Amino acid sequence: MSANEDQEMELEALRSIYEGDESFRELSPVSFQYRIGENGDPKAFLIEISWTETYPQTPPIISMNAFFNNTISSAVKQSILAKLQEAVEVNLGTAMTYTLFEYAKDNKEQFMENHHPINSATSISNIISVETPNTAPSSKKKDKKEQLSKAQKRKLADKTDHKGELPRGWNWVDVVKHLSKTGSKDDE
């Protein structure tokens, strides 16, 4: 089999295996990303594997340069890449993208044991400063709502039932009054 045929077969296999998997992303027919770990997991990381023209006879290009990995130190990234390169050497000549992704998933804890998020304060402050205009008004409203006087709380409690809900129909329009107003206009 030629390298092209091997790549086509592996591409079909990857598409069928990872169909519906939110962690897998096909960037192009020869480039793939896989998120190891759940969303929001501080030890989650993203691996990108790109095939060369002669892959699988030659090693693929493995990268961890995605923005997702910004909080991972370069030493941890190098350690992960070195361990993945060892797996590449063992599997050279065979379809290995799935094997590498699974190897990373199985060894995630070992890979990330020395991980301490870097620049997290900077990135969090950037995120907060970007989102501040959107979140500020709603947080102010919530603060005002929480700071009620005793009289206001008593008044609110008198209006509501034991669950804190207003009684059914509290804002209904007086049907008779409404109909008498609309009916008199029709009679004219």
Side-chain angles (χ1 to χ4, degrees), residues 34-119:
Y34 197 86
R35 184 185 69 238
I36 310 298
E38 297 298 316
N39 258 345
D41 180 354
K43 291 191 173 193
F45 58 94
L46 197 72
I47 297 176
E48 185 174 320
I49 296 180
S50 302
W51 297 342
T52 57
E53 285 184 31
T54 54
Y55 170 85
Q57 278 64 41
T58 56
I61 299 163
I62 303 172
S63 168
M64 290 188 68
N65 294 333
F67 181 77
F68 187 86
N69 296 331
N70 274 359
T71 60
I72 302 171
S73 70
S74 59
V76 172
K77 287 181 192 176
Q78 290 304 319
S79 167
I80 293 170
L81 290 172
K83 290 172 183 169
L84 289 172
Q85 284 299 335
E86 291 173 15
V88 165
E89 290 169 19
V90 171
N91 293 296
L92 202 57
T94 63
M96 67 180 92
T97 304
Y98 171 78
T99 307
L100 293 173
F101 287 151
E102 292 303 307
Y103 175 70
K105 280 180 13 184
D106 294 342
N107 294 293
K108 175 187 155 230
E109 291 303 319
Q110 179 189 349
F111 285 177
M112 298 299 280
E113 66 188 353
N114 296 323
H115 170 63
H116 304 290
I118 58 169
N119 295 334

Side-chain angles (χ1 to χ4, degrees), residues 159-170:
K159 287 183 185 177
T160 60
D161 61 6
H162 68 283
K163 294 179 184 173
E165 297 175 4
L166 293 167
R168 184 169 183 252
W170 69 273

Side-chain angles (χ1 to χ4, degrees), residues 148-167:
L148 298 175
S149 68
K150 284 185 179 179
Q152 289 171 324
K153 288 178 185 176
R154 232 179 266 121
K155 199 174 193 181
L156 186 62
D158 290 342
K159 287 183 185 177
T160 60
D161 61 6
H162 68 283
K163 294 179 184 173
E165 297 175 4
L166 293 167

Side-chain angles (χ1 to χ4, degrees), residues 113-127:
E113 66 188 353
N114 296 323
H115 170 63
H116 304 290
I118 58 169
N119 295 334
S120 58
T122 307
S123 60
I124 289 171
S125 66
N126 290 343
I127 291 168

